[in-house]
């Protein structure tokens, strides 16, 4: 019997799990996929929003601003890259400029600091490649960028290092209320019991809510397509560039990533069945809009395109509350943008204010919130690299040439919490395969290391779980 069960291995579930381990509680996470960060958290823009966009008085506004203030230290503790690059909402008309005034006023009401409306001349100093049609911008200096999958994996890994248990391939299909808590059952007939359950299931949040009778929590999906440019073009823009929002949303953005790629997108398409296929029309729309934002975007440096599916609630705000029908069942769902930014603040509130009303919270004096960065090796000096190699020669073997990832880093990804069990899981932890060749050269070597470390036949190594085997047999 666990004290708390967290359903869903995305950034919100990960942040909640880590927050729970700050207390003397036995906790676990149930994730339906073969790895954590397999839903909307892995295909995320990685923007740390300032907080001017969310409606005043909403949970989005409250937790966005709180999360923004927490994010730099939160990422630092977890060894995750964070850059305070600032956001620019670009205006292209007098009407847009009026909208920026409204956004600034809303931001002030929400508690956002360091905002100003700047002229076209100042904008071009900050962003020389901005379109000649731009007439001004709202400059939000507290905006930033972070690695979304890195943050999720690190939060869950840190929670596991502090005693949390992780169950993958655990698709929740039944939840029974017991006298002392809940019995949560998987599609394979496994069951885990807990006194309190927290629903952080992302796109599946509505289905999980329905299992306890909360049928009024309706979660829908929007697909967003992206284009990613090589790090060679990483200095093309320095800030996150947004179009002035319309009734349809924030639209396409142009931004650096923390690894110095350029990210373009996302589109926004309502989905009945969540799929992550890219489309010619979606990618064409991104290209058209980007050409309107900046001059001569280096699209020739495109290395991949991808899509993610974002969950949102029909309430059009975050749902962070205990079930009105079932005591001890907590919902943290409908967490659309700015959910990534808000996650640390949501977790703090959910544990202190919601779990705290159900269970005694005694500080865990053994809690260690620090985690060593996954990306440390290539950033070391030559002397430091040699010292690491002297202790472990596997760090002297480059596996991914594009991203300069070593065998030692891949071995570490397979061994540390949460363990990487397939090629894409290694990719999310180390960036091996994220460069210009997209794994064309390093994937077989990565697979060999996984097979060796997990002590499984090479044929059983997959790209991203069952049904994605890399090889089917020996040809010679």
């Amino acid at each position: 019997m666990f004290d708390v069960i967290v359903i869903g291995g995305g950034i919100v579930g990960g942040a909640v799990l880590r927050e729970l381990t700050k207390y003397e509680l036995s906790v676990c996470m149930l994730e339906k996929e073969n790895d954590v960060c397999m839903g909307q958290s892995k295909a995320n823009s990685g923007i740390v929003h300032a907080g001017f966009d969310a409606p005043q008085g909403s949970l989005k506004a409250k937790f966005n601003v709180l999360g923004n203030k927490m994010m730099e230290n939160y990422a630092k503790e977890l060894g995750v890259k964070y850059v305070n690059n600032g956001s620019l909402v670009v205006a292209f008309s007098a009407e847009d400029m009026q909208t920026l005034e409204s956004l600034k006023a809303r931001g002030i009401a929400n508690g956002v600091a360091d905002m100003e409306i700047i002229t076209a001349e100042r904008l071009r100093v900050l962003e020389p490649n901005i379109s000649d049609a731009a007439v001004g911008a709202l400059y939000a200096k507290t905006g930033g960028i972070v690695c979304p999958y890195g943050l999720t994996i690190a939060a869950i890994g840190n929670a596991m290092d502090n005693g949390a248990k992780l169950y993958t391939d655990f698709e929740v299909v039944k939840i029974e209320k017991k006298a002392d808590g809940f019995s949560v059952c998987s599609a394979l007939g496994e069951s885990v019991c807990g006194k309190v359950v927290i629903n952080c299931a992302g796109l599946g949040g509505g289905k999980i809510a329905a299992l306890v009778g909360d049928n009024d929590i309706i979660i829908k999906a929007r697909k967003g397509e992206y284009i990613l440019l090589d790090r060679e073009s990483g200095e093309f823009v320095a800030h996150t560039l947004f179009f002035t929002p319309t009734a349809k949303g924030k639209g396409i953005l142009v931004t650096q990533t923390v690894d110095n790629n350029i990210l373009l997108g996302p589109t926004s398409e309502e989905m009945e069945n969540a799929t992550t296929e890219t489309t010619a029309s979606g990618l064409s729309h991104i290209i058209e809009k980007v050409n309107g934002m900046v001059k001569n975007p280096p699209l020739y440096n495109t290395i991949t395109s991808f899509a993610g599916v974002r969950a949102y609630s029909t309430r059009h705000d975050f749902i962070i509350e205990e079930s009105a029908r079932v005591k001890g069942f907590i919902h943290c769902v409908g967490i659309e943008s700015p959910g990534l930014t808000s996650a640390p603040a949501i977790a703090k509130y959910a544990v202190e204010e919601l779990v705290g009303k159900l269970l005694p919270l005694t500080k865990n004096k053994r809690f260690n919130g620090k985690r060593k960065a996954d990306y440390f090796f290539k950033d070391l000096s030559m002397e430091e690299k040699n010292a690491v190699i002297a202790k472990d020669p596997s760090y002297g073997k480059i596996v991914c040439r594009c991203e300069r990832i070593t065998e030692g880093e891949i071995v570490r990804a397979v061994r540390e919490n949460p363990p990487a069990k397939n090629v894409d899981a290694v990719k999310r932890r180390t960036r091996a395969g994220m460069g210009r060749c997209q794994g064309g050269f390093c994937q077989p070597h990565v697979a060999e290391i996984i097979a060796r470390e997990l002590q499984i036949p090479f044929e059983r190594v997959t790209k991203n779980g069952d049904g994605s085997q890399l090889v089917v047999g020996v040809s010679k």
Side-chain angles (χ1 to χ4, degrees), residues 38-40 42-43 203 220-226 267-279 306-310:
M38 292 288 283
Q40 63 193 84
K42 76 172 181 181
L203 286 166
K220 294 191 173 184
R222 290 192 188 101
K223 183 173 77 170
E225 299 181 43
Y226 293 90
T267 57
S268 182
E269 178 186 355
E270 296 288 329
M271 300 289 292
E272 286 297 327
N273 299 309
T275 65
T276 54
E277 299 170 349
T278 57
T279 63
F306 61 94
V309 181
R310 311 188 289 277

Side-chain angles (χ1 to χ4, degrees), residues 245-445:
T246 67
K248 294 183 179 180
K250 301 172 188 175
I252 303 299
L253 61 83
V254 179
T255 186
Q256 277 186 331
T257 71
V258 288
D259 292 293
N260 213 40
N261 296 93
I262 295 293
L263 186 65
L264 313 174
T267 57
S268 182
E269 178 186 355
E270 296 288 329
M271 300 289 292
E272 286 297 327
N273 299 309
T275 65
T276 54
E277 299 170 349
T278 57
T279 63
S281 60
L283 299 180
S284 295
H285 176 67
I286 294 172
I287 292 169
E288 177 187 352
K289 296 297 289 184
V290 167
N291 274 303
M293 174 68 80
V294 291
K295 295 180 288 189
N296 302 314
L299 294 165
Y300 54 85
N301 264 331
T302 297
I303 56 174
T304 192
S305 59
F306 61 94
V309 181
R310 311 188 289 277
Y312 70 96
S313 85
T314 52
R315 298 186 198 178
H316 301 289
D317 198 2
F318 299 161
I319 300 174
I320 306 168
E321 62 193 27
E322 184 180 7
S323 168
R325 294 179 178 85
V326 185
K327 185 174 178 60
F329 199 94
I330 296 168
H331 299 292
C332 293
V333 295
I335 313 295
E336 58 180 319
S337 179
L340 176 70
T341 311
S342 304
I346 291 172
K348 192 172 189 297
Y349 174 84
V351 174
E352 292 180 356
E353 301 299 326
L354 300 179
V355 176
K357 291 179 180 178
L358 301 166
L359 298 172
L361 297 182
T362 304
K363 289 287 186 181
N364 177 7
K365 295 179 181 178
R366 301 178 304 280
F367 175 78
N368 178 5
K370 299 274 180 82
R371 179 178 165 97
K372 189 175 182 179
D374 285 330
Y375 57 86
F376 75 99
F377 187 77
K378 65 183 174 185
D379 295 329
L380 299 178
S381 68
M382 190 60 69
E383 292 76 14
E384 290 170 326
K385 287 178 180 176
N386 287 334
V388 171
I389 293 169
K391 292 180 181 179
D392 185 347
S394 66
Y395 280 92
K397 302 174 183 177
I398 294 290
V399 174
C400 174
R401 288 180 282 174
C402 297
E403 295 290 328
R404 293 178 293 142
I405 306 301
T406 67
E407 180 175 335
E409 292 165 283
I410 295 168
V411 169
R412 179 187 166 194
V414 177
R415 293 179 180 177
E416 74 175 358
N417 289 324
K421 300 175 184 177
N422 55 58
V423 171
D424 278 1
V426 167
K427 180 180 180 179
R428 285 189 290 275
R429 288 156 176 80
T430 67
R431 291 190 60 80
M434 284 195 180
R436 181 176 282 276
C437 86
Q438 290 289 288
F441 289 94
C442 66
Q443 188 176 89
H445 196 174

Side-chain angles (χ1 to χ4, degrees), residues 209-251:
L211 294 178
V212 295
D214 284 338
N215 297 304
D216 58 329
I217 293 180
I218 299 171
I219 304 299
K220 294 191 173 184
R222 290 192 188 101
K223 183 173 77 170
E225 299 181 43
Y226 293 90
I227 294 172
L228 187 71
L229 308 187
D230 187 51
R231 287 187 290 114
E232 183 180 293
S233 297
E235 307 304 320
F236 183 71
V237 298
H239 303 76
T240 299
L241 307 181
F242 295 97
F243 283 94
T244 302
T246 67
K248 294 183 179 180
K250 301 172 188 175

Side-chain angles (χ1 to χ4, degrees), residues 441-462:
F441 289 94
C442 66
Q443 188 176 89
H445 196 174
V446 171
E448 287 175 353
I449 295 169
I450 293 170
R452 184 190 73 207
E453 290 297 312
L454 297 182
Q455 297 182 349
I456 60 174
F458 184 82
E459 303 89 82
R460 284 183 54 198
V461 178
T462 67

